[in-house]
Amino acid sequence: MVFFPFNLSGSDQPKLAGREQVGGSVRASHNQASQARPTPLGLGWTAYALLRLPLLAALDIITMTKYFTFLVAFFLLYQEANACSFSRSNEQETFDRAERVFRAKIIATKLVAENHDGDSHEVVNATYQLVESFKGDNPKTGLVKEIPFSPGNCMLGLLTGMEYVFFLKDNLFVTMPNGSWAYFNAEGTQVKPELEKLRGYAGKNM
């Protein structure tokens, strides 16, 4: 006995596995059924598709915002973990303890090896040009030093072209705990009052 998958009796349309084979009309019926399905918002499919575009864009923006917020939080935590930490003294006391206090612009830097406590260490030698003297004998051109900057070591990271206020004690090394700091604009709303304070301290010592 031979099995025929098609039922050839009583119909011009072939049947496959008990169902009428209608060729391309099956695909058309499926498309019509898809178009007849209601959209989630009760809109036409074209309108729904157009509405989805801004929704998807908004979701992308929200995702990127969350990612950016995470990066910022991570960066701030990293900075806090690696930040220079020290107990700040009273400004007047810091000024009184220093042997020399002055404003200067760094005009050259050089990394050298120096012997300290029997060991060789890298040191940044920075040549400065005097801008303003507040205390002590400060030459028009001189030298200050620091250990190469790294996160948490409280160095200034001396840069050629930048201006600083230096507090020096018994050597040429400048650090943030000793009171030294950098600035961009001497007329800035935060910098100018600090410079005026130094001028006031200098006037008291005259």
Side-chain angles (χ1 to χ4, degrees):
M1 180 178 179
V2 179
F3 173 75
F4 291 96
F6 295 102
N7 184 357
L8 301 179
S9 61
S11 176
D12 294 334
Q13 293 288 346
K15 292 184 178 179
L16 176 61
R19 292 193 301 177
E20 189 174 358
Q21 188 74 9
V22 294
S25 62
V26 174
R27 185 183 303 273
S29 298
H30 175 74
N31 291 338
Q32 291 173 0
S34 299
Q35 293 176 2
R37 288 203 315 267
T39 63
L41 297 178
L43 303 173
W45 281 101
T46 301
Y48 177 66
L50 292 175
L51 182 61
R52 286 187 64 197
L53 293 177
L55 292 176
L56 292 175
L59 289 175
D60 288 341
I61 293 174
I62 293 173
T63 302
M64 291 301 297
T65 301
K66 289 181 178 178
Y67 180 70
F68 178 75
T69 302
F70 170 77
L71 289 180
V72 171
F74 177 81
F75 178 74
L76 292 177
L77 289 174
Y78 176 83
Q79 276 195 324
E80 183 177 351
N82 293 277
C84 168
S85 177
F86 60 92
S87 178
R88 296 182 181 275
S89 301
N90 177 275
E91 294 176 347
Q92 179 72 66
E93 294 177 355
T94 302
F95 186 90
D96 293 340
R97 284 199 304 264
E99 295 182 1
R100 297 163 54 195
V101 183
F102 58 96
R103 288 172 58 196
K105 181 177 182 178
I106 300 300
I107 57 176
T109 59
K110 184 179 181 181
L111 184 64
V112 299
E114 292 186 359
N115 195 330
H116 293 275
D117 299 325
D119 295 321
S120 179
H121 297 276
E122 288 187 333
V123 174
V124 176
N125 283 350
T127 303
Y128 69 80
Q129 188 175 65
L130 184 67
V131 176
E132 184 176 4
S133 180
F134 302 110
K135 182 181 180 180
D137 185 15
N138 299 299
K140 291 183 179 181
T141 303
L143 185 73
V144 291
K145 301 182 179 184
E146 72 169 359
I147 298 170
F149 174 82
S150 64
N153 74 350
C154 296
M155 296 295 110
L156 294 167
L158 299 174
L159 298 174
T160 301
M162 279 286 293
E163 292 190 6
Y164 300 83
V165 173
F166 292 127
F167 290 73
L168 296 179
K169 289 186 176 181
D170 54 354
N171 55 47
L172 298 177
F173 279 88
V174 292
T175 66
M176 286 190 284
N178 285 344
S180 299
W181 46 279
Y183 63 90
F184 291 100
N185 179 13
E187 297 298 320
T189 55
Q190 293 182 334
V191 177
K192 189 174 181 178
E194 294 300 319
L195 296 178
E196 290 297 337
K197 287 181 183 179
L198 293 175
R199 295 182 185 112
Y201 299 152
K204 292 179 182 179
N205 291 350
M206 292 180 64

